[in-house]
Amino acid sequence: MPVYKLTYFNLGALAEPIRWAFKLAEVDFEDERIEREDWPALKKSGRFPSENMPLLEIDGEVFTQSSAILRYLGNKFGLTVDDEIQRLRLDQVIDITTDVRPSFRAYFFEADPEKKEKARLTIVNEVVPLYLRQIEGIVIKTDGPYIAGSKLTYGDLSLTAALNVWIGVGVITEAQLQEAYPATAKLREAVLNVPQIKAWLEVRPKTTF
Amino acid sequence: MPVYKLTYFNLGALAEPIRWAFKLAEVDFEDERIEREDWPALKKSGRFPSENMPLLEIDGEVFTQSSAILRYLGNKFGLTVDDEIQRLRLDQVIDITTDVRPSFRAYFFEADPEKKEKARLTIVNEVVPLYLRQIEGIVIKTDGPYIAGSKLTYGDLSLTAALNVWIGVGVITEAQLQEAYPATAKLREAVLNVPQIKAWLEVRPKTTF
């Protein structure tokens, strides 16, 4: 078995679905967490080719890009499906949640309170509905609970982790998700109740999102 | 064989590697091109779930997200590799070029000439070098010319199409690419000289990028 080392902030966010994949496969990995105040110095240290995280080292070889890493582990650990159209849907869902990130970043890093609230309202009223409508439209193509029906895949892990961030930063509530996007809410519930993930959620470091 | 219909602006950009995949596989597809002035009305027509393009219809089912679509066709048409680590590298390269897009958009849609030039200089001096260094680091892991060595894959198509956009919008020249990122330049040359792609480049509609 290769030696895996995952490096990220002390957050769920982009690293969390990767951690879940390891937990589901019951494969050991080092879960290195960088404190926010140490990041500016580390960022330019040469250890991080993209000057961002997460980073996965596999037997010492460095890989970046959380979605590429998650898909790799998902394929390796059997968290995928054979059907090509269903795999296209997994990747489509991942890329839809990725498209949302620039608006989230613009909001998160905005210092001016008035502009920040304006950015938040754009996300709440325009961005989240546009993207969640697409996701709901994909999720309802099977009887669920997952994107590929009864088979849990890396796409469900990615989506659930993204939804947790959206809920964590306050752009949608669990009740609103349940009300407006019931199939997506049901998928998230199912993922969070998978025994290995449920057990991890109880012991993982407590962070805002 | 399914019926494929690809819809995009009359541009290369995000749809171009998808078109190349069809050409390489010698599979017919409808190449619908929307004129820029028609887009505002069409965008909200209900035909475009993500209110953006490209869109691929497969036997009438609508799929969005260019990278997911390209990976699907790449797998279907044999434009991939068996080795999982090499596949991870393909996906990593695609996601690296995707990360660049928000800065490009900020530049492209900036109306103020002074701000636009500032945005361009940030891309030229910071964004492009940071991302091309990563890409070159991945490409040189094999003897080339492609990311997975001698095997042409969807990752090479995506990267070459991205490089064509970067060159087309003027944030790097072919000579600069050749000078600073020789393995990446060699990969692009190899892709553009594949007979089916070369033939397509001669007959395709002429657009800026």
Side-chain angles (χ1 to χ4, degrees), chain A residues 61 64-65 71 91-92 99, chain B residues 64-65 71 91-92 99:
Chain A
E61 185 176 355
T64 60
Q65 293 298 341
R71 184 179 302 105
D91 289 351
Q92 205 187 331
D99 271 359
Chain B
T64 61
Q65 293 298 339
R71 185 179 302 105
D91 289 350
Q92 205 187 330
D99 271 0

Side-chain angles (χ1 to χ4, degrees), chain B residues 91-121:
Chain B
D91 289 350
Q92 205 187 330
V93 167
I94 291 176
D95 289 349
I96 290 168
T97 64
T98 305
D99 271 0
V100 177
R101 282 187 216 150
S103 349
F104 270 68
R105 255 184 233 123
Y107 158 63
F108 200 78
F109 292 109
E110 179 58 61
D112 180 275
E114 204 172 310
K115 284 190 191 158
K116 197 181 180 81
E117 179 57 13
K118 208 181 147 204
R120 197 186 70 83
L121 288 175

Side-chain angles (χ1 to χ4, degrees), chain B residues 126-145:
Chain B
E126 297 171 28
V127 179
V128 165
L130 173 61
Y131 288 90
L132 273 177
R133 255 201 320 271
Q134 295 173 59
I135 289 168
E136 182 80 0
I138 295 169
V139 175
I140 56 170
K141 283 183 187 288
T142 70
D143 291 334

Side-chain angles (χ1 to χ4, degrees), chain A residues 48-52 56 58 61-69 71-72 75-76 84-85 87-89 91-93 95-99 101-102 105 130-131 133-134 138 141 154, chain B residues 48-52 56 58 61-69 71-72 75-76 84-85 87-89 91-93 95-99 101-102 105 130-131 133-134 138 141 154:
Chain A
F48 299 88
S50 53
E51 299 183 6
N52 68 21
L56 182 69
I58 307 176
E61 185 176 355
V62 171
F63 294 92
T64 60
Q65 293 298 341
S66 57
S67 299
I69 291 168
R71 184 179 302 105
Y72 165 78
N75 285 329
K76 205 169 171 68
E84 287 171 339
I85 286 284
R87 286 216 305 272
L88 169 51
R89 290 194 193 122
D91 289 351
Q92 205 187 331
V93 167
D95 289 350
I96 290 168
T97 64
T98 305
D99 271 359
R101 282 187 215 149
R105 258 185 230 120
L130 173 62
Y131 289 89
R133 255 200 322 267
Q134 295 174 60
I138 294 169
K141 283 182 187 287
Y154 64 88
Chain B
F48 300 88
S50 54
E51 297 181 9
N52 67 21
L56 182 69
I58 306 176
E61 185 177 354
V62 171
F63 295 92
T64 61
Q65 293 298 339
S66 57
S67 299
I69 290 167
R71 185 179 302 105
Y72 165 78
N75 286 329
K76 205 169 173 68
E84 288 171 341
I85 287 283
R87 284 216 305 271
L88 168 51
R89 291 194 192 120
D91 289 350
Q92 205 187 330
V93 167
D95 289 349
I96 290 168
T97 64
T98 305
D99 271 0
R101 282 187 216 150
R105 255 184 233 123
L130 173 61
Y131 288 90
R133 255 201 320 271
Q134 295 173 59
I138 295 169
K141 283 183 187 288
Y154 64 88

Side-chain angles (χ1 to χ4, degrees), chain B residues 19-88:
Chain B
R19 297 188 187 111
W20 293 347
F22 282 120
K23 293 295 166 187
L24 285 164
E26 296 172 10
V27 168
D28 282 338
F29 71 106
E30 184 183 342
D31 189 17
E32 186 187 30
R33 289 163 184 251
I34 304 289
E35 292 305 324
R36 203 163 277 280
E37 59 267 28
D38 298 331
W39 177 237
L42 276 171
K43 186 176 172 171
K44 300 278 183 185
S45 66
R47 220 195 113 192
F48 300 88
S50 54
E51 297 181 9
N52 67 21
M53 301 189 283
L55 207 71
L56 182 69
E57 289 164 70
I58 306 176
D59 287 336
E61 185 177 354
V62 171
F63 295 92
T64 61
Q65 293 298 339
S66 57
S67 299
I69 290 167
L70 179 64
R71 185 179 302 105
Y72 165 78
L73 295 176
N75 286 329
K76 205 169 173 68
F77 297 159
L79 297 165
T80 187
V81 275
D82 288 335
D83 183 85
E84 288 171 341
I85 287 283
Q86 286 191 327
R87 284 216 305 271
L88 168 51

Side-chain angles (χ1 to χ4, degrees), chain A residues 126-185:
Chain A
E126 297 171 27
V127 180
V128 166
L130 173 62
Y131 289 89
L132 273 177
R133 255 200 322 267
Q134 295 174 60
I135 289 168
E136 183 80 359
I138 294 169
V139 174
I140 57 170
K141 283 182 187 287
T142 70
D143 291 334
Y146 303 121
I147 302 166
S150 58
K151 182 72 168 78
L152 175 65
T153 69
Y154 64 88
D156 305 301
L157 304 184
S158 178
L159 173 57
T160 300
L163 292 169
N164 282 357
V165 172
W166 301 2
I167 292 167
V169 298
V171 295
I172 191 166
T173 65
E174 287 194 72
Q176 287 164 339
L177 185 70
Q178 175 64 52
E179 171 72 21
Y181 312 100
T184 305

